Amino acid sequence: MREINVAAITSCVRQMCMDANYHLSPDMQARLFEAAETEQSPLGRQILEKLKENLEIAAADQIPICQDTGMAVVFVEVGQEVHLTGGDVSSAIQEGVRRGYQDGYLRKSIVRDPLTRVNTGDNTPAVIHYTIVPGEQVRITVAPKGFGSENKSRLFMLVPADGVDGVKKAVLQTVREAGPNACPPMAVGVGIGGNFEKCACLAKQALLIPTDQQSEDPQIRKLEQELLAEINKTGIGPAGLGGTVTALALHVKTYPTHIAGLPVAVNICCHVNRHETMVL
Amino acid sequence: MDCRISTPFTKEKAAELHIGDMVYLTGTIYTARDAAHKRMMEAIRQGRPLPFDLHNSIIYYMGPTPARDGRPIGSAGPTTAGRMDAYAPTLLDLGETGMIGKGRRNEAVRQAVIRNGAVYFAAIGGAGALLSKAITSAEVVAYEDLGTEAVRKLTVQEFPVIVVMDSKGNDLYEIAASKYCTE
């Protein structure tokens, strides 16, 4: 049994909220830079160059890449040999978000109640997903998610007869409807299988996969490649103003499902696909 | 075409712009997003004064991050304009001539744009750090309790935007993708 004081978790979460908002992960940044070279539209290339410049300014001035610094999504994998001490772990995570958003000059975008809509003033609460895993470590990922793209995400309860073509149709339809609203070029996370809520979570987790990592399952790898190619044929392009780069990355995560169902979730993210991970 | 425009944004200036034009705005613009629009609509309904004069005004759909010391504003990119579609026609009819945001607008907004000779501009979504450099001052002028959603008066210097809906109602989003579509 290893003891970890939750104060260490607060400190990590605070730091990751800030880092994620000032810097893109190197893999995501590399895809954006590559796109600025390959984009066929002159206006599209100009926009991608501006986005590159935006990243440089954000890093140099410690100013958020995007003013929508998101709702903080926190994935916590707790080793079952770990004993968390010093207080309630969820409160410690929320405190980390509170301090990160305050100390990092990040936007407070959360309202207490979805209907009465009064801002909480500190960007809490975050959405926290816990998993218990073997081992004696705690692995925390902070993924601040903007809502321009979150609003364009969709969940489809397909039927088995829809098959892989139905999955493709659902993804393409979601991307087309998102269009310029989701600040393309996008990152696309696709969940297939599980049930209603599991599928949505898979799609969110698919956005965390490094852009250069491919699925180990040949069938899924092929699906990822085909979907990305088809999305980039839509012509939506950077900022939705036409071009050959509409998505920078697409990943699929699957889970066993019921004999009667084929759930598909599509989580759209803009190019500011932010996430930071720390292991305690 | 690249052009430079100063505020106030008159209908004469609006009439000269076409979809695809890259415009560098200099002067005064105002921020308002969902919550501020809702309050302005309530003020209009109740006959109360608005936070600023709508005549020849440009509204930027934006809620910034807090400013660090010595800076006028934090990250300051556009939010999705479609969420303001319910309110925009009323404000256009009352004299607003320019909107800055990102994403598609509905038919009611397009008709209001045509009726009033207004323009809808897109700023580059996700480029908030870069866009903040073109803002030289920011002052909350109303609804301070809304935090980031308060109405701010911004002074901008060569603020870069693209005309996506011109005063004739042409919509760049409708035609842009077809040029590069290879499906």
Side-chain angles (χ1 to χ4, degrees):
Chain A
M1 184 69 76
R2 180 180 166 221
E3 288 203 350
I4 295 178
N5 192 301
V6 295
I9 292 178
T10 297
S11 162
C12 284
V13 169
R14 172 187 173 276
Q15 192 60 46
M16 286 191 283
C17 286
M18 295 194 275
D19 289 346
N21 273 295
Y22 304 149
H23 309 280
L24 271 192
S25 58
D27 60 298
M28 200 64 207
Q29 185 161 317
R31 286 293 294 120
L32 187 69
F33 281 36
E34 200 183 308
E37 302 291 322
T38 59
E39 171 58 55
Q40 300 292 303
S41 149
L43 177 59
R45 275 201 303 279
Q46 206 181 333
I47 288 164
L48 293 169
E49 285 299 330
K50 298 258 189 213
L51 293 179
K52 279 172 66 176
E53 200 186 328
N54 184 61
L55 291 181
E56 285 162 18
I57 293 168
D61 293 1
Q62 301 280 284
I63 173 172
I65 301 165
C66 176
Q67 77 292 335
D68 185 354
T69 52
M71 185 168 202
V73 182
V74 185
F75 290 95
V76 191
E77 290 177 15
V78 185
Q80 66 187 34
E81 308 301 328
V82 173
H83 178 210
L84 295 168
T85 61
D88 164 41
V89 64
S90 295
S91 302
I93 291 168
Q94 303 294 3
E95 184 59 23
V97 170
R98 185 174 293 118
R99 289 187 197 168
Y101 276 72
Q102 190 58 44
D103 299 349
Y105 293 84
L106 308 180
R107 198 177 80 180
K108 288 56 171 193
S109 310
I110 305 305
V111 292
R112 172 71 58 204
D113 181 286
L115 298 177
T116 54
R117 307 200 72 84
V118 177
N119 200 301
T120 61
D122 59 9
N123 218 59
T124 66
V127 173
I128 309 174
H129 300 283
Y130 292 101
T131 322
I132 296 173
V133 297
E136 51 172 34
Q137 292 181 328
V138 175
R139 182 185 165 88
I140 307 171
T141 296
V142 175
K145 184 68 169 70
F147 256 59
S149 54
E150 193 76 350
N151 277 341
K152 307 314 289 183
S153 302
R154 296 288 180 265
L155 181 64
F156 302 82
M157 298 306 284
L158 302 184
V159 297
D162 292 324
V164 72
D165 286 344
V167 172
K168 282 186 176 177
K169 214 172 126 190
V171 174
L172 264 294
Q173 181 192 324
T174 305
V175 168
R176 280 200 197 90
E177 284 174 7
N181 294 36
C183 295
M186 313 168 192
V188 184
V190 181
I192 308 175
N195 61 355
F196 189 77
E197 82 278 6
K198 175 70 181 176
C199 192
C201 215
L202 289 172
K204 180 75 70 191
Q205 287 166 327
L207 286 173
L208 304 177
I209 299 171
T211 56
D212 45 10
Q213 188 180 311
Q214 292 188 318
S215 174
E216 286 172 12
D217 179 338
Q219 180 188 301
I220 296 302
R221 192 159 64 232
K222 181 165 171 279
L223 179 62
E224 288 176 340
Q225 289 164 351
E226 288 173 357
L227 278 172
L228 187 59
E230 285 179 37
I231 288 170
N232 286 326
K233 284 182 190 167
T234 58
I236 294 167
L241 296 175
T244 53
V245 182
T246 299
L248 297 170
L250 180 143
H251 286 99
V252 174
K253 272 181 93 78
T254 65
Y255 194 81
T257 190
H258 190 278
I259 48 173
L262 176 53
V264 178
V266 188
N267 199 185
I268 302 283
C269 192
C270 62
H271 69 280
V272 193
N273 182 12
R274 296 164 286 206
H275 44 86
E276 289 284 326
T277 298
M278 285 175 112
V279 179
L280 287 173
Chain B
M1 199 182 76
D2 280 17
C3 52
R4 283 169 172 72
I5 295 265
S6 300
T7 62
F9 188 51
T10 61
K11 292 186 180 184
E12 290 70 33
K13 290 175 189 172
E16 286 171 21
L17 299 176
H18 302 96
I19 51 168
D21 288 349
M22 181 74 82
V23 176
Y24 296 89
L25 285 172
T26 296
T28 302
I29 62 175
Y30 293 89
T31 70
R33 11 177 318 146
D34 314 54
H37 271 81
K38 195 173 171 209
R39 282 200 192 173
M40 286 197 284
M41 294 295 280
E42 283 162 11
I44 291 165
R45 259 196 300 275
Q46 295 165 6
R48 287 186 283 113
L50 291 174
F52 56 93
D53 183 7
L54 281 175
H55 185 64
N56 291 339
S57 68
I58 296 177
I59 298 181
Y60 183 17
Y61 304 143
M62 190 276 287
T65 62
R68 283 189 184 271
D69 290 345
R71 297 226 183 89
I73 202 161
S75 194
T79 195
T80 308
R83 293 197 318 274
M84 267 51 77
D85 283 359
Y87 315 114
T90 303
L91 300 183
L92 291 166
D93 288 342
L94 289 173
E96 178 192 8
T97 45
M99 303 167 280
I100 308 173
K102 49 122 175 159
R104 301 182 187 113
R105 309 308 299 266
N106 69 12
E107 184 57 22
V109 173
R110 200 176 78 89
Q111 289 304 326
V113 160
I114 298 169
R115 185 163 70 237
N116 295 291
V119 169
Y120 168 47
F121 302 98
I124 299 175
L130 176 72
L131 290 166
S132 76
K133 295 284 188 185
I135 299 169
T136 56
S137 77
E139 178 200 347
V140 173
V141 292
Y143 316 148
E144 192 163 13
D145 60 298
L146 294 179
T148 186
E149 294 206 71
V151 172
R152 287 172 172 79
K153 179 181 178 180
L154 305 182
T155 309
V156 294
Q157 182 72 37
E158 305 233 325
F159 188 86
V161 291
I162 299 161
V163 177
V164 286
M165 189 181 287
D166 62 26
S167 57
K168 304 281 183 294
N170 297 306
D171 184 345
L172 182 58
Y173 290 132
E174 290 297 315
I175 57 170
S178 61
K179 195 172 167 190
Y180 293 94
C181 179
T182 53
E183 289 172 297

